[in-house]
Amino acid sequence: MIPLVKTHMPSKEVLMPALEKVLYSGYVAQGEQVDVFERAFETYLGGGHSLSLNSGTAALHIALMLVGVKPGDEVISTALTAEPTNVAIKMVGAKIRYADIDENTGALDPLSIQSCINERTKAIMVVDYAGIPVDVKAIRQVADKYGLPVIEDAAHALGSMYMGIKAGRHFPYTVFSFQAIKHLTTVDGGMLQVDDEEDYQQGKLIRWFGIDKKRTRLDNDIVRQGFKYHMNNVNATIGLVQLAGIDTVVDAHVSNGQYLDKHLQGVPGLDCLTYYPNSQPSYWLYTALVDDREGLIRKLGEQGFMASELHKRNDWHTYLNDFHQPLPVLERFYKRMLHLPCGWWLSNEDRERMVSVIKSGW
Ligand SMILES: Cc1ncc(COP(=O)(O)O)c(C=O)c1O
């Protein structure tokens, strides 16, 4: 069975010497490798400050804290995402105000975002769902007009581009996940990418109980709530080895995604998505809209390909549905949405066979 998602690990020959070195170095906690990984990640993205953490969820939580979201505030978000995006909003005691999505991409519709803004709105959370970039320009315009910070959840979108610039360089806060099945995994881990040096320094405090690691414990005075969210040297070492090969991984996703974009055009009962001009998805999953989704899932399954909608729309969780807003576009989109495998593990032969299975009808 060709899976929808898969863990990528560098070869033993490359990973094990680095891992063995750090494991027996006497220093497995947060130390030099963590700093080296952060600086290497900044270089990969092309600037900003990278704050490494033990999960993408921790990155979402810290971003919301840095923005100053408090109980009673509202954050505009999308229901088309994995649960952590919206659970994090509840972690800071805020309410989730869902905006509707753009029919062509599944990303938040900037006009719908605008219509959700009220005096309690504190931030806008956007998600590059399945690796598809959001409408950066239009979202920036809305955010600037109302003076609202944007947090980009790019957990699915490492290596995606908009106007030739990678996700992580478009908004003041961007979240990446290095959980088991993402483009880059450190086993578990995450990164909060921030523009502002002061945010980076505050983020460092929050990730370690509010304690300033540059001073001794006795010299410290905790003045704000912190957590145990740091990355350790072992995960950072895996991250560094993964980062050295990340272009090959992302390029394989992109090549397979573009192949599917090209060869699934015009298939009866299937619509490909159209992406924003000058945007380049990193195709964590391949997303299409199909009639009789269950029929196609069954047919692909019989032929050895996993396909599914993967995520439950988040407004269907009681705890994540604060306002019960109607989301008519999401309603239509979600009914037909299907994810197909398109990652590095698909060979040319696999993708050709998957296309011919789909073309033979279901
Ligand atoms: C869209 C999205 N946001 C955030 C997260 C949270 O990442 P993590 O599992 O690293 O906490 C995930 C991943 O699982 C995700 O899919």
Side-chain angles (χ1 to χ4, degrees):
M1 196 64 135
I2 305 284
L4 193 51
V5 291
K6 191 166 175 171
T7 299
H8 177 269
M9 273 297 150
S11 72
K12 281 187 189 171
E13 292 69 31
V14 177
L15 180 60
M16 283 310 170
L19 209 43
E20 191 170 333
K21 192 168 164 208
V22 71
L23 282 172
Y24 295 98
S25 67
Y27 206 105
V28 291
Q30 185 197 325
E32 191 188 337
Q33 279 77 10
V34 169
D35 289 336
V36 175
F37 181 42
E38 289 185 352
R39 302 299 76 78
F41 201 75
E42 286 161 5
T43 304
Y44 170 73
L45 291 187
H49 303 277
S50 299
L51 183 78
S52 63
L53 300 159
N54 57 16
S55 73
T57 308
L60 286 163
H61 189 188
I62 294 182
L64 288 156
M65 287 178 73
L66 290 173
V67 164
V69 180
K70 302 235 159 38
D73 292 337
E74 291 184 14
V75 176
I76 295 172
S77 182
T78 177
L80 189 62
T81 183
E83 288 81 355
T85 311
N86 292 309
V87 169
I89 295 172
K90 304 293 273 190
M91 283 164 81
V92 290
K95 290 197 157 58
I96 306 158
R97 172 80 61 186
Y98 292 121
D100 210 345
I101 59 168
D102 178 338
E103 194 134 37
N104 300 309
T105 59
L108 276 187
D109 174 358
L111 285 177
S112 181
I113 293 176
Q114 183 159 330
S115 72
C116 288
I117 294 172
N118 64 46
E119 64 283 358
R120 286 178 300 282
T121 309
K122 225 19 194 303
I124 301 169
M125 176 81 81
V126 299
V127 179
D128 304 304
Y129 184 63
I132 299 168
V134 296
D135 191 350
V136 174
K137 193 169 158 216
I139 288 165
R140 269 210 204 122
Q141 275 165 2
V142 174
D144 290 350
K145 185 169 165 194
Y146 293 89
L148 289 167
V150 178
I151 301 168
E152 178 179 15
D153 181 344
H156 298 174
L158 185 68
S160 70
M161 311 260 240
Y162 183 94
M163 298 281 180
I165 296 169
K166 287 193 182 107
R169 301 296 298 128
H170 299 300
F171 296 108
Y173 307 90
T174 309
V175 167
F176 295 99
S177 165
F178 304 142
Q179 172 266 348
I181 53 173
K182 298 299 181 347
H183 289 99
L184 186 158
T185 179
T186 57
V187 178
D188 254 321
M191 196 72 88
L192 175 60
Q193 186 70 17
V194 294
D195 276 347
D196 184 52
E197 160 78 22
E198 181 51 26
D199 274 337
Y200 177 63
Q201 295 304 338
Q202 284 298 317
K204 275 184 159 178
L205 291 180
I206 297 172
R207 78 173 168 190
W208 186 251
F209 307 110
I211 294 172
D212 182 351
K213 274 182 164 277
K214 291 195 295 294
R215 296 162 181 258
T216 68
R217 289 236 173 170
L218 296 180
D219 282 337
N220 257 277
D221 174 28
I222 294 176
V223 293
R224 69 177 300 168
Q225 180 66 48
F227 298 87
K228 191 172 186 234
Y229 278 169
H230 69 289
M231 181 174 276
N232 63 49
N233 273 356
V234 180
N235 298 110
T237 297
I238 299 172
L240 273 165
V241 178
Q242 294 276 31
L243 193 59
I246 192 61
D247 288 342
T248 311
V249 173
V250 171
D251 288 352
H253 282 251
V254 172
S255 159
N256 288 331
Q258 289 180 339
Y259 178 89
L260 295 175
D261 278 336
K262 184 167 171 205
H263 293 273
L264 293 177
Q265 292 294 336
V267 173
L270 184 148
D271 293 312
C272 295
L273 302 183
T274 44
Y275 314 116
Y276 297 110
N278 293 314
S279 73
Q280 168 67 74
S282 57
Y283 298 92
W284 183 54
L285 309 163
Y286 187 81
T287 310
L289 302 178
V290 299
D291 299 338
D292 183 16
R293 177 170 59 193
E294 292 313 310
L296 182 53
I297 290 174
R298 203 175 322 112
K299 171 92 183 264
L300 284 166
E302 284 161 9
Q303 297 298 320
F305 295 97
M306 270 178 78
S308 81
E309 59 270 52
L310 198 63
H311 298 109
K312 176 170 170 167
R313 45 184 280 195
N314 282 193
D315 58 332
W316 283 357
H317 290 289
T318 304
Y319 184 63
L320 301 180
N321 197 352
D322 292 319
F323 295 112
H324 300 271
Q325 305 107 288
L327 300 166
V329 182
L330 176 67
E331 197 72 40
R332 288 198 297 279
F333 189 96
Y334 189 76
K335 256 190 206 129
R336 299 182 69 218
M337 183 188 79
L338 184 65
H339 298 305
L340 305 170
C342 78
W344 55 268
W345 55 97
L346 243 76
S347 66
N348 286 356
E349 196 182 65
D350 292 333
R351 69 191 195 184
E352 282 161 26
R353 204 166 64 77
M354 186 165 73
V355 166
S356 72
V357 170
I358 294 171
K359 280 189 165 162
S360 71
W362 60 96

